[in-house]
Amino acid sequence: MYRTHTCGELRPENIGKEVILAGWVQRVRDLGAMSFIDLRDRYGITQLVADENTSEEVKKTLEELGREFVIQVTGTVRERSSRNKNIPTGDIEIEISGLKILSPSAVPPFTIQDDTDGGDDLRMKYRYLDLRRNAVRKNLELRAQMAHAVRSFLTANDFIETETPVLIKSTPEGARDFVVPSRMNPGEFYALPQSPQIFKQLLMVAGFDKYFQIVKCFRDEDLRADRQPEFTQIDCEMSFVEQEDVLNTFEGLTKYAFKEVLNVEVDNFPRMPYTTAMEKYGSDKPDIRFEMLLNDLTEQAKGKGFVVFDSAEYIGGVCAKGCAGYSRKQTDELTNWVKRPQIGAKGLVYVKYNEDGSLKSSVDKFYSPEDLKAWAEKLQAEPGDLMLILSGEKQPTINALGELRLEMGNRLGLRKKGTFKPLWVIDFPLLEWDEETKRFFAMHHPFTSPKPEDISLLDSEPGKVRANAYDLVINGVEIGGGSVRIFDSELQAKMFDILGFTPEQAKAQFGFLMNAFKYGAPPHAGIAFGFDRLVSLFAGLDSIRDVIAFPKNNAGRDVMNDSPAPVSKEQLDELHLQLVKKIK
Amino acid sequence: MYRTHTCGELRPENIGKEVILAGWVQRVRDLGAMSFIDLRDRYGITQLVADENTSEEVKKTLEELGREFVIQVTGTVRERSSRNKNIPTGDIEIEISGLKILSPSAVPPFTIQDDTDGGDDLRMKYRYLDLRRNAVRKNLELRAQMAHAVRSFLTANDFIETETPVLIKSTPEGARDFVVPSRMNPGEFYALPQSPQIFKQLLMVAGFDKYFQIVKCFRDEDLRADRQPEFTQIDCEMSFVEQEDVLNTFEGLTKYAFKEVLNVEVDNFPRMPYTTAMEKYGSDKPDIRFEMLLNDLTEQAKGKGFVVFDSAEYIGGVCAKGCAGYSRKQTDELTNWVKRPQIGAKGLVYVKYNEDGSLKSSVDKFYSPEDLKAWAEKLQAEPGDLMLILSGEKQPTINALGELRLEMGNRLGLRKKGTFKPLWVIDFPLLEWDEETKRFFAMHHPFTSPKPEDISLLDSEPGKVRANAYDLVINGVEIGGGSVRIFDSELQAKMFDILGFTPEQAKAQFGFLMNAFKYGAPPHAGIAFGFDRLVSLFAGLDSIRDVIAFPKNNAGRDVMNDSPAPVSKEQLDELHLQLVKKIK
């Protein structure tokens, strides 16, 4: 037996007991007459002591120990003279009677403690050591706990967890697929799923009624900081439901997870139409932890001779509470901030609504105090506030204002980490026009149902058709999205037509789905949550990388095991493939 | 709202209530004055009735209905005149007041009922219809229930469910990998995991202590009936444990699943050394639901002038209880059975131990009754039994006898489906010699620890070294397997050397693992269960295909969506790949 207890388990009631512990040496303190070892495992830290009563043999082994050695220790639990209140085992210590090195350790490339001295690259390369740090492992424990809570809720609500295939058919729609050459079917390829969308719809056709799966999905996209080539979804689908049924069910799931895992009660989720989100928050994923709404000043601000505004399609602003005292340096800095390419504004107009009721703006030349008062009224500004105004083409300006709003929220400390404000964004447009390819794309995906009252617009004004689609947004992060699905093969065929598929292409790619709809398809709807993002939100992290045990870097590489890697010519031959040119 | 209740929910206490149901038309019976519809969903079947009080509008819609139409019905729950005891809703029926077709159905290619008229191919092509059949869907529900039970047990026992990557590094050891070309790293490939072996060991190095995952794994092998290119494992690993700890933990898990899911109590699992399994059952996965042990007759049967036996390395037999009365036809048939290429015996010798105590064999010319009595004693045969004897080279003969034992078990009804007899097979050889390549292969995998007492044999007689490896076998099926792992980088390097890796190859492939062992690796051990097989065992099925929602056929194809499929030249160009020759 390697241990009788873990390193987080012993308490005063164990005093006098002979125990065996095993774990990693967190640190050794040699105080001459006495030596102390902090022994660590996943469950905690226990202090080991050697003193004048300790055998020579043990003392000799003690001298060999270094950080991260794996040892097994036998000893007696005794009361600690100076209690350590910071750890649950702080009342006791172990008087060492036997000590064995199970596995020595070289000096680790960085220290294994909460505030490590290892940089990102080093920690990724030695990920197995980084995962030893409490702060990192806790995130993975949280992840497991969340997955368990999600499964408990959905299972209790009659959802059947069903595994769908990983080796599936490649589809040209959506992001780029990872493909897998088939040796048994030379010249043919599987694809890895971007989502189990079609399979879950087929499960509804199959009468499964309620399906879920916590499942790996894959996208071969150029990676940003917050993207991974493989990611995990909580994927769900329900039959005989309308949009409200879905929203209520998954609002229930989300509240359950918050309560179960974080012991946080969240309010009922507001439902906000997409157009409101865009106009009032400048984003389809509004952070509603704070107000500072966007307001349209076009009518008020145009036609007074300020050419920048007069030539603008849209003028809009936000009101930063209590910021009237911003210095010139601060407003200049904000101006530079909005001009950054990611934000793309040409400039920033500000109006200070001073505490004394006077107004001071960067465009005083063109606007009277009465003009500015009208703006203040529109922006609900009061004495002491700072109004920030952008102008230009409508959509980009709204987007930039949305970003500015978030930035001000950050600066004013309005985006508190422990506060969670979920909402549903609903009534998304069904289609998005792509200027480059001159065609419509499905905003959600090609299986999303138009709102019944908008179906008549499909032929005349497809861009105006709204979808029965919805996103779950928490604190400005899109956590989940879904839709009511088309379950009629003719409407589905029409959608493919609008999306530019020829009937032949639609049949080749999705024929089996449209065929399935011919044998009695139930009305159905679903949703998928980005599990990595949900966990990182719960963990209070900004990136998903720290909630993934073995993440890849921005080039899609695992730097720990140096993959991807070349394969042998024999392997390629078996797959009837060759590299186009010798690379590397 | 599409429904107020499911089709499995209504009971006499609901009589008089107005309800809305939705589901599939199982069948329509038109009896002139009255019509009956069986309405089906996942939860059950409810009878709907139209009679003289039903509106003309409803009656008109009724006439359009066919099997598998999806309908929504409004009506009042009433008592049924003739109770149907076969279904839980059999006391009530719904008097239809409103009827709406949600989705019509073409005539399905086979009937959606337990005993369908659809052949295998048709049912695979229309898998979404096959899954509507209770018998098939129940298997998937069982699967979900089992996964939930496994997770509950392991989570309650401090295991952290941790997701490991699907896009990993290709390794030459083991079966063939599926590979995934990396667009961002041209000329390089990921592999899909055959198991998360190395990652789970790294999680132990990381101090996770107890890990599990229910995870998809992949093998690009030529498929047999019971193999799929993607399959699911319950993958587990523990630190600071010895073999007995692992066996006890997972014996606990298995018992819990049997109790929780099937309400079956299974006995404690015997531990049987590999050599005993081979010698007494002719198999490393013995079916211990019945005895009929193999016994060695070499000593007893040699040297009596029967040249077949005299020239054999091994002579062994089994005793079929109560079969002394077998006719010539039956023994001839058994002889033909053992001669089949899959069994490979050259012939069969039988001895009938008649009820009157006399002995009659197919080799009476060479053996006296006393000789045969000695065999009977060895085989523990009694009057009324039939002894079946094979001879030849030792290993193939033992294998053939093992198969014969199972066949006789089948014929005698000794392999009962509802009976479950798990056992641990332990003490496997560490290495297997491959005559073709003239090298040793790891019997389990290269990370398996030799038994400490056998390490000294590694250099001198590697073939004799036993491993701390174990298999969980239930009813003759290998359900799981695992081992205590090497956690010492030097011993690991030695293993790679024995397996024919050069130090450079070992470093290139597994350098990061051996490196990880240098920073304090805990002793660890683990196991993986074949989840598909475990479910099919619980479901009483012979194939894993019916416990997989969307399985592939023996050519690795999904015939429902016709994949794998060719991809576009543009996709290949992006991956810097080309097909070696135009195929298809």
Side-chain angles (χ1 to χ4, degrees):
Chain A
M1 189 173 27
Y2 277 108
R3 64 185 176 197
T4 56
H5 296 78
T6 70
C7 295
E9 203 174 345
L10 294 167
R11 297 287 182 279
E13 57 262 37
N14 304 110
I15 286 168
K17 200 170 175 135
E18 168 121 322
V19 297
I20 308 174
L21 299 185
W24 284 262
V25 172
Q26 180 69 34
R27 58 172 186 160
V28 185
R29 279 168 300 154
D30 184 358
L31 306 182
M34 296 178 86
S35 295
F36 296 95
I37 300 171
D38 282 349
L39 189 67
R40 184 195 73 227
D41 66 12
R42 172 185 138 201
Y43 309 95
I45 283 184
T46 299
Q47 177 166 291
L48 318 175
V49 194
D51 54 21
E52 68 279 8
N53 302 319
T54 307
S55 74
E56 282 311 309
E57 197 189 337
V58 167
K59 281 184 180 164
K60 224 174 130 189
T61 310
L62 255 174
E63 278 168 22
E64 296 174 37
L65 297 188
R67 277 179 184 255
E68 302 306 317
F69 273 53
V70 178
I71 61 172
Q72 184 186 34
V73 61
T74 309
T76 309
V77 185
R78 73 181 190 196
E79 195 176 356
R80 206 146 141 179
S81 50
S82 63
R83 199 179 148 204
N84 179 347
K85 289 181 189 172
N86 298 322
I87 56 172
T89 62
D91 289 324
I92 58 92
E93 61 190 10
I94 311 294
E95 198 178 347
I96 308 173
S97 58
L99 179 61
K100 189 176 166 190
I101 295 172
L102 296 175
S103 189
S105 175
V107 176
F110 50 87
T111 53
I112 311 296
Q113 51 198 37
D114 285 2
D115 47 340
T116 181
D117 53 359
D120 262 14
D121 291 349
L122 206 56
R123 290 191 292 117
M124 288 298 287
K125 178 161 183 202
Y126 295 91
R127 181 67 174 171
Y128 44 87
L129 296 182
D130 200 29
L131 287 169
R132 277 188 196 167
R133 298 195 303 123
N134 261 324
V136 181
R137 200 198 55 245
K138 289 272 177 227
N139 296 330
L140 277 300
E141 288 180 334
L142 176 76
R143 183 181 181 111
Q145 205 189 341
M146 288 176 68
H148 197 67
V150 166
R151 287 195 163 97
S152 296
F153 179 91
L154 292 173
T155 302
N157 282 277
D158 283 334
F159 284 78
I160 309 178
E161 184 160 27
T162 309
E163 294 172 59
T164 54
V166 177
L167 298 171
I168 68 162
K169 184 168 181 157
S170 184
T171 61
E173 191 70 357
R176 208 183 277 106
D177 282 330
F178 281 105
V179 297
V180 183
S182 166
R183 182 182 53 85
M184 294 179 77
N185 302 274
E188 300 192 325
F189 295 77
Y190 303 101
L192 302 180
Q194 296 182 33
S195 90
Q197 183 62 33
I198 292 180
F199 290 102
K200 69 177 174 175
Q201 293 194 240
L202 290 173
L203 287 173
M204 294 304 102
V205 174
F208 272 47
D209 206 74
K210 291 176 178 178
Y211 144 92
F212 87 102
Q213 189 182 188
I214 300 185
V215 61
K216 276 280 174 73
C217 299
F218 307 85
R219 267 184 215 158
D220 184 11
E221 285 179 341
D222 298 324
L223 303 175
R224 302 188 309 231
D226 206 24
R227 285 260 174 93
Q228 287 279 318
E230 54 181 293
F231 53 97
T232 304
Q233 281 190 357
I234 308 169
D235 193 50
C236 308
E237 198 80 7
M238 306 169 78
S239 289
F240 300 114
V241 289
E242 290 161 344
Q243 176 167 308
E244 267 304 302
D245 301 311
V246 179
L247 301 193
N248 288 330
T249 301
F250 293 99
E251 184 164 329
L253 168 65
T254 311
K255 284 177 172 175
Y256 178 85
F258 270 112
K259 181 67 190 160
E260 194 72 11
V261 177
L262 294 185
N263 197 26
V264 164
E265 310 254 7
V266 287
D267 299 334
N268 287 339
F269 301 3
R271 276 107 163 113
M272 186 186 294
Y274 169 82
T275 50
T276 307
M278 291 309 292
E279 280 169 20
K280 289 296 168 186
Y281 296 86
S283 169
D284 60 358
K285 36 182 194 283
D287 184 346
I288 60 168
R289 279 176 297 183
F290 65 109
E291 287 278 322
M292 208 191 288
L293 301 187
L294 276 58
N295 274 293
D296 185 341
L297 298 174
T298 316
E299 201 182 308
Q300 285 79 3
K302 257 194 161 174
K304 303 280 173 161
F306 179 42
V307 65
V308 174
F309 280 7
D310 288 354
S311 64
E313 183 190 4
Y314 171 90
I315 307 159
V318 294
C319 166
K321 288 278 159 204
C323 294
Y326 262 34
S327 66
R328 177 64 186 259
K329 192 176 156 204
Q330 282 174 300
T331 53
D332 281 357
E333 197 211 332
L334 275 181
T335 306
N336 288 332
W337 191 88
V338 300
K339 283 177 164 174
R340 302 190 316 163
Q342 305 95 303
I343 311 301
K346 298 233 170 60
L348 173 71
V349 167
Y350 65 85
V351 185
K352 292 177 174 176
Y353 200 161
N354 295 318
E355 292 284 0
D356 63 6
S358 67
L359 289 142
K360 171 74 193 141
S361 82
S362 54
V363 287
D364 280 352
K365 220 191 310 182
F366 304 100
Y367 297 95
S368 69
E370 287 66 39
D371 291 335
L372 299 180
K373 273 261 160 65
W375 299 7
E377 200 166 310
K378 197 76 200 278
L379 296 180
Q380 294 178 291
E382 294 171 332
D385 295 349
L386 175 70
M387 294 177 262
L388 299 168
I389 297 152
L390 299 179
S391 65
E393 270 190 273
K394 184 167 180 179
Q395 199 52 59
T397 305
I398 278 182
N399 294 344
L401 261 181
E403 293 293 336
L404 177 59
R405 174 181 175 272
L406 293 177
E407 174 64 16
M408 290 310 297
N410 284 336
R411 292 183 184 213
L412 296 173
L414 302 172
R415 306 182 71 191
K416 295 203 182 67
K417 281 229 158 133
T419 306
F420 297 100
K421 292 287 181 193
L423 80 157
W424 292 107
V425 178
I426 57 173
D427 299 350
F428 278 84
L430 182 68
L431 302 162
E432 265 180 318
W433 179 256
D434 182 56
E435 261 309 316
E436 203 172 316
T437 54
K438 301 281 178 202
R439 54 163 279 207
F440 280 109
F441 279 87
M443 191 150 184
H444 193 67
H445 56 51
F447 315 108
T448 297
S449 175
K451 284 193 175 290
E453 60 267 36
D454 290 1
I455 286 185
S456 59
L457 297 172
L458 267 178
D459 293 313
S460 52
E461 296 180 279
K464 287 206 172 157
V465 176
R466 290 166 307 159
N468 273 329
Y470 34 81
D471 276 358
L472 174 63
V473 175
I474 308 180
N475 294 3
V477 180
E478 183 198 325
I479 292 296
S483 64
V484 176
R485 323 299 186 187
I486 296 168
F487 67 104
D488 175 274
S489 53
E490 283 177 36
L491 182 57
Q492 187 64 68
K494 188 180 187 94
M495 267 299 285
F496 287 131
D497 180 39
I498 291 171
L499 295 173
F501 285 78
T502 65
E504 293 69 35
Q505 286 170 330
K507 198 180 162 202
Q509 286 299 330
F510 302 108
F512 62 102
L513 181 69
M514 290 191 288
N515 210 28
F517 284 172
K518 290 179 184 153
Y519 295 99
H524 59 289
I527 194 167
F529 292 81
F531 187 55
D532 307 289
R533 283 204 200 157
L534 187 63
V535 179
S536 75
L537 179 87
F538 270 53
L541 298 169
D542 296 319
S543 159
I544 61 172
R545 210 176 278 185
D546 270 340
V547 301
I548 296 172
F550 298 100
K552 293 187 175 62
N553 73 9
N554 283 352
R557 295 198 72 82
D558 181 338
V559 295
M560 179 185 71
N561 63 19
D562 198 24
S563 74
V567 298
S568 68
K569 184 166 180 313
E570 291 69 33
Q571 271 177 291
L572 289 179
D573 286 349
E574 280 196 316
L575 300 169
H576 296 259
L577 286 177
Q578 64 187 28
L579 299 180
V580 169
K581 37 184 174 177
K582 290 267 178 216
I583 295 149
K584 291 207 170 179
Chain B
M1 190 173 29
Y2 278 108
R3 63 185 177 197
T4 56
H5 296 78
T6 69
C7 296
E9 202 174 349
L10 294 167
R11 296 287 183 279
E13 57 263 35
N14 305 108
I15 285 168
K17 199 170 176 137
E18 167 120 321
V19 296
I20 309 174
L21 298 186
W24 284 261
V25 172
Q26 179 69 33
R27 61 173 184 159
V28 185
R29 279 168 300 155
D30 182 359
L31 305 182
M34 294 179 87
S35 295
F36 296 94
I37 300 171
D38 282 349
L39 189 67
R40 185 197 73 227
D41 66 12
R42 171 186 139 200
Y43 309 95
I45 282 183
T46 299
Q47 177 165 291
L48 317 176
V49 195
D51 55 22
E52 66 281 5
N53 301 319
T54 307
S55 74
E56 284 309 309
E57 198 190 335
V58 167
K59 281 183 179 164
K60 226 176 127 187
T61 309
L62 254 174
E63 279 169 20
E64 296 174 36
L65 297 188
R67 274 177 186 256
E68 301 306 316
F69 273 52
V70 178
I71 60 171
Q72 183 185 34
V73 63
T74 309
T76 309
V77 184
R78 72 181 191 195
E79 195 175 356
R80 206 146 143 180
S81 51
S82 63
R83 199 179 148 203
N84 180 347
K85 290 182 190 170
N86 298 323
I87 55 174
T89 62
D91 289 323
I92 59 93
E93 62 191 8
I94 311 294
E95 199 178 347
I96 308 175
S97 59
L99 179 60
K100 189 177 164 189
I101 295 173
L102 296 175
S103 188
S105 175
V107 175
F110 50 86
T111 53
I112 312 297
Q113 52 197 34
D114 284 2
D115 47 340
T116 182
D117 53 0
D120 263 12
D121 291 349
L122 207 55
R123 290 192 291 116
M124 288 298 286
K125 178 161 183 201
Y126 295 91
R127 181 68 172 170
Y128 45 86
L129 296 181
D130 200 30
L131 287 170
R132 278 188 196 166
R133 298 195 303 121
N134 262 323
V136 182
R137 200 198 56 249
K138 290 270 177 230
N139 297 330
L140 277 301
E141 288 180 334
L142 176 76
R143 183 182 181 111
Q145 204 188 341
M146 288 176 67
H148 197 67
V150 166
R151 287 195 163 97
S152 296
F153 179 90
L154 292 174
T155 301
N157 282 277
D158 283 332
F159 284 79
I160 308 179
E161 184 161 25
T162 308
E163 295 173 57
T164 53
V166 176
L167 298 172
I168 68 162
K169 184 168 182 159
S170 185
T171 61
E173 191 70 357
R176 209 184 276 106
D177 283 328
F178 282 105
V179 297
V180 182
S182 167
R183 182 182 53 86
M184 293 179 77
N185 302 276
E188 300 193 326
F189 295 77
Y190 303 101
L192 302 181
Q194 296 181 33
S195 90
Q197 183 62 34
I198 291 179
F199 290 102
K200 68 177 175 176
Q201 293 193 241
L202 289 174
L203 286 173
M204 294 303 103
V205 173
F208 272 47
D209 205 75
K210 291 177 177 177
Y211 144 93
F212 87 102
Q213 188 180 191
I214 300 185
V215 61
K216 276 281 173 72
C217 298
F218 306 85
R219 264 183 217 161
D220 185 11
E221 284 180 340
D222 298 325
L223 303 174
R224 302 188 309 231
D226 206 25
R227 284 258 174 93
Q228 288 280 317
E230 52 181 295
F231 54 97
T232 304
Q233 280 190 0
I234 307 169
D235 193 50
C236 308
E237 198 80 8
M238 305 169 77
S239 289
F240 300 114
V241 289
E242 287 161 345
Q243 175 166 309
E244 267 304 302
D245 301 310
V246 179
L247 301 192
N248 288 331
T249 301
F250 293 99
E251 184 164 330
L253 168 66
T254 311
K255 285 177 172 175
Y256 177 85
F258 270 112
K259 181 67 189 161
E260 192 72 10
V261 177
L262 295 184
N263 197 26
V264 164
E265 311 254 7
V266 288
D267 298 335
N268 288 338
F269 302 2
R271 277 109 165 112
M272 186 186 292
Y274 169 84
T275 50
T276 307
M278 292 307 294
E279 279 170 21
K280 289 296 168 186
Y281 295 86
S283 169
D284 59 359
K285 36 182 193 284
D287 184 347
I288 60 167
R289 279 175 297 183
F290 65 109
E291 286 278 323
M292 208 191 286
L293 300 187
L294 276 58
N295 275 293
D296 186 342
L297 297 174
T298 315
E299 199 181 310
Q300 285 78 4
K302 258 195 161 175
K304 304 279 175 161
F306 179 40
V307 67
V308 173
F309 280 6
D310 287 353
S311 64
E313 181 190 5
Y314 171 89
I315 307 160
V318 295
C319 165
K321 287 277 159 206
C323 296
Y326 263 33
S327 66
R328 177 64 187 259
K329 193 176 154 204
Q330 283 174 300
T331 52
D332 280 356
E333 199 211 332
L334 274 183
T335 305
N336 288 332
W337 191 89
V338 300
K339 284 177 165 176
R340 301 189 317 162
Q342 305 95 302
I343 311 301
K346 298 233 168 61
L348 173 71
V349 167
Y350 65 85
V351 185
K352 293 177 175 178
Y353 199 160
N354 295 317
E355 293 284 1
D356 63 5
S358 68
L359 288 142
K360 171 77 192 136
S361 82
S362 54
V363 287
D364 280 351
K365 221 191 311 180
F366 304 102
Y367 297 94
S368 68
E370 287 66 37
D371 291 334
L372 299 179
K373 272 261 162 63
W375 300 7
E377 200 166 312
K378 196 80 201 273
L379 296 180
Q380 293 178 292
E382 294 170 332
D385 296 347
L386 175 68
M387 294 176 260
L388 299 168
I389 297 150
L390 299 180
S391 65
E393 269 189 274
K394 183 168 182 181
Q395 199 51 59
T397 305
I398 278 183
N399 294 343
L401 260 181
E403 292 293 335
L404 177 59
R405 172 181 176 274
L406 293 178
E407 174 65 16
M408 291 310 296
N410 284 336
R411 292 183 184 212
L412 296 173
L414 301 174
R415 306 180 72 191
K416 295 203 181 69
K417 279 230 158 129
T419 305
F420 298 99
K421 292 286 182 196
L423 79 155
W424 293 107
V425 178
I426 57 173
D427 300 348
F428 279 84
L430 182 68
L431 301 161
E432 265 180 318
W433 180 255
D434 182 56
E435 261 308 319
E436 204 171 316
T437 53
K438 301 278 178 206
R439 54 165 277 207
F440 280 110
F441 280 85
M443 190 150 186
H444 193 65
H445 57 50
F447 315 108
T448 297
S449 175
K451 283 193 176 291
E453 61 268 35
D454 290 2
I455 286 185
S456 59
L457 296 172
L458 267 178
D459 292 312
S460 53
E461 295 180 280
K464 287 205 171 157
V465 176
R466 289 167 307 158
N468 273 329
Y470 32 82
D471 275 358
L472 174 64
V473 175
I474 309 180
N475 293 3
V477 180
E478 182 199 325
I479 294 295
S483 63
V484 175
R485 323 299 185 188
I486 297 169
F487 66 104
D488 175 274
S489 53
E490 281 176 39
L491 183 56
Q492 187 62 68
K494 188 180 188 94
M495 265 302 283
F496 286 130
D497 179 41
I498 291 171
L499 295 172
F501 286 78
T502 66
E504 292 69 34
Q505 285 170 330
K507 198 182 163 204
Q509 286 299 329
F510 303 108
F512 61 102
L513 181 70
M514 288 191 287
N515 210 27
F517 285 171
K518 290 179 183 151
Y519 296 98
H524 58 288
I527 193 167
F529 292 81
F531 186 55
D532 307 289
R533 282 202 201 159
L534 187 63
V535 178
S536 76
L537 180 86
F538 271 52
L541 298 169
D542 295 319
S543 158
I544 61 171
R545 210 177 277 186
D546 271 338
V547 301
I548 296 173
F550 299 100
K552 293 187 174 60
N553 73 8
N554 282 353
R557 297 197 71 82
D558 181 339
V559 296
M560 179 185 71
N561 62 19
D562 198 24
S563 73
V567 297
S568 69
K569 185 169 178 311
E570 290 71 34
Q571 271 177 289
L572 289 179
D573 286 348
E574 280 196 315
L575 299 169
H576 296 259
L577 286 178
Q578 64 186 28
L579 299 179
V580 169
K581 38 186 171 176
K582 290 267 178 215
I583 296 149
K584 289 208 171 178

